[in-house]
Amino acid sequence: LLLECGVYTLLNLMLAQAALSLSLLLLFRPALNGGAALPPHGRREACSPRAWAPPAFILAAFAAACLWAGPSEYVFGGWDSGKYVNMGASFAEKGRIVYRDGFFASIPPGERGLFTEGGRRYMGFNLTSIEDAVVSPKFMHLYPLWLAVATALAGLRAALSVNIIFTLVSIALCWRTALALRGRGAAFAAAGFMAANGLETWFARSQCAEPLAQLFFLGAALFWILWQQGRGRGYAPLSAACLGMMFLTKFDAILVLPCAAAALLFSDKLEGEGAFLLVLFASLLHFSAHMAFWNRPYASAIVANLPAPLRGGGAILLLSAALPLSLAAVPLARRAGIRACGPARLPFAARCAAAAAALAAAMCLSAGGGNL
């Protein structure tokens, strides 16, 4: 929000974050600390450091692998790593997403093409108006904001290494999620296999948004599980908030939304469902406004790469409307007496059809995002 309003500075971010954290603590701490729904052993298991942290040697081995290999130095060029780093540096310097470049405006209009060919000067950005020299970023803005914070605190080297921290937290979240579902054996296996995966080391060394999106996804899954297990209604809005942060990190993350709607329909109605829906609706509203106003060139580029039937001027509005409607269908279905059975009870053909539809949607959106 600070970036969108053009008032971002590191000090303003710290003040806003402190105020927001204090407000959330006062609102949700009683629910997180226990209550009637919390089992007798729940507080000790949920809050114990041993429940949250995988064995230290797993984290140490992964961190050593990343640090030994060193962070990617790919700052220049047209790949995503260079674009994200340039976006983070711009946010740290200008404090806003869309800005007017004074240097570019000083160039005679007939010669401006020399500076824009191949995106050499504006790597990771779109010149929305060559005449007015207005610039906006190509990607979602939340991960570059972290790069801006790291750059302001400790320079470019810290920004190049921030994904190592995100991946370490993701491994810990993977451990805690598996622990909540299947116990310590499954938690050890899940965290160990995740840390040993070469893709994790690759992305932890690069400057791409995937590690941060992975962190928010695992956070949403963990808080959802703790909420469904009756550990406290305060975990419901935290799960929705993680989903909302996913949307602002990677556009492709909207694929998770129909899954969340289906999970709500399959699950029992629990205390906190209203807070979950409220936070998620607010996140979708912010996401839609961001794509429509601050990141419209990026949204238009995604729409242009979608299959032909999904293109057109109203595609963004149609997509923005379809996302909250999929969630609104859940309470409407319950009010009408419609109750979904568990996935395991569905006929095999229905499960295959649902999997095929999900795969088709994933391929369409991946093609639109350029990730196919």
Side-chain angles (χ1 to χ4, degrees), residues 293-321:
F293 296 103
W294 289 278
N295 223 350
R296 190 173 184 85
Y298 181 49
S300 300
I302 292 174
V303 171
N305 287 324
L306 290 175
L310 299 178
R311 299 175 192 169
I316 298 177
L317 293 177
L318 180 63
L319 181 61
S320 300

Side-chain angles (χ1 to χ4, degrees), residues 269-283:
K269 182 176 176 58
L270 297 173
E271 186 180 7
E273 185 177 87
F276 177 89
L277 290 172
L278 179 63
V279 174
L280 195 52
F281 273 122
S283 300

